[in-house]
Amino acid sequence: GVGSDPDLLRVQAAQLFISYLGADSGVAGYRLGLLHFGGSVQQVAPLTDVGDPAMRRQLAQAAENPQPIPWTDQLVALNGARSLLADQGRPGSHRVILLLTDGEPAWPDTITRKVGDYRQALTRLAEELAQEKTTLVFVHLDNPNTSCSRRVNAHWLELWQQMAESTPGGALYTARRADDLLP
């Protein structure tokens, strides 16, 4: 759903990424997979060669209409991306997980979870990704008009930055408008 990303920056970001990664495809063989997540992960596209313009168009179309998945669980998303790379990645390839998120971690009351344990699990996962030489990039889609974004800024951005920076070439970016995504 729209949530704290009413302008669907996540769709624009995915489409920009697909376009720009494909523009460089003459230099190297890039492959891109797409996952949508909330409290669960849905594979939208397997790792796909973006050197082919028709495949890039298919990926861009697949990213266009994210179906609502309740809740926001970055840990389940990162584990899903890690599994995708393990199952479909090429041996010796440079692996990057780019996580676009507009919300703080949240789950239904039926799931008992302590925030401290969740934070530790995220940190452990980042350490494992670093050992696997997988780059982690967070793109926080910030909407300062929502209490959710204010909580992310207060309680999660520092951890996400530490996680990203613990991986080779990892980084954290924040976007409030579509043109913030270009750099």
Side-chain angles (χ1 to χ4, degrees):
V2 173
S4 57
D5 183 23
D7 297 324
L8 294 175
L9 281 177
R10 63 191 181 271
V11 172
Q12 294 174 49
Q15 291 175 331
L16 280 170
F17 191 71
I18 292 164
S19 294
Y20 284 107
L21 189 62
D24 290 341
S25 62
V27 177
Y30 293 114
R31 295 186 327 144
L32 175 70
L34 295 174
L35 304 172
H36 288 164
F37 77 98
S40 63
V41 174
Q42 175 189 13
Q43 182 177 308
V44 177
L47 286 178
T48 302
D49 184 357
V50 294
D52 178 351
M55 298 308 287
R56 279 199 313 276
R57 281 192 298 279
Q58 284 182 0
L59 283 169
Q61 286 174 334
E64 251 176 32
N65 200 7
Q67 298 304 304
I69 301 174
W71 309 103
T72 301
D73 190 339
Q74 287 85 7
L75 184 59
V76 76
L78 292 170
N79 278 316
R82 184 181 185 198
S83 293
L84 176 73
L85 291 172
D87 295 343
Q88 300 176 20
R90 293 181 180 139
S93 64
H94 180 183
R95 297 167 184 223
V96 177
I97 296 174
L98 174 68
L99 181 75
L100 302 168
T101 185
D102 66 340
E104 66 182 319
W107 41 86
D109 292 338
T110 57
I111 296 176
T112 304
R113 218 180 235 167
K114 293 181 181 176
V115 173
D117 293 342
Y118 186 83
R119 292 173 70 89
Q120 286 178 349
L122 284 169
T123 299
R124 274 192 308 276
L125 179 58
E127 291 167 357
E128 292 166 5
L129 291 172
Q131 290 173 358
E132 296 165 7
K133 297 186 180 11
T134 300
T135 300
L136 178 58
V137 178
F138 280 92
V139 177
H140 173 225
L141 304 171
D142 186 25
N143 182 347
N145 298 322
T146 67
S147 58
C148 178
S149 276
R150 289 191 290 274
R151 287 190 303 270
V152 166
N153 289 327
H155 303 291
W156 295 98
L157 281 185
E158 184 177 334
L159 174 63
W160 294 345
Q161 182 169 356
Q162 291 168 358
M163 289 172 62
E165 289 177 351
S166 73
T167 67
L172 167 72
Y173 300 99
T174 297
R176 290 192 176 117
R177 301 179 320 274
D179 58 353
D180 290 343
L181 298 166
L182 291 173

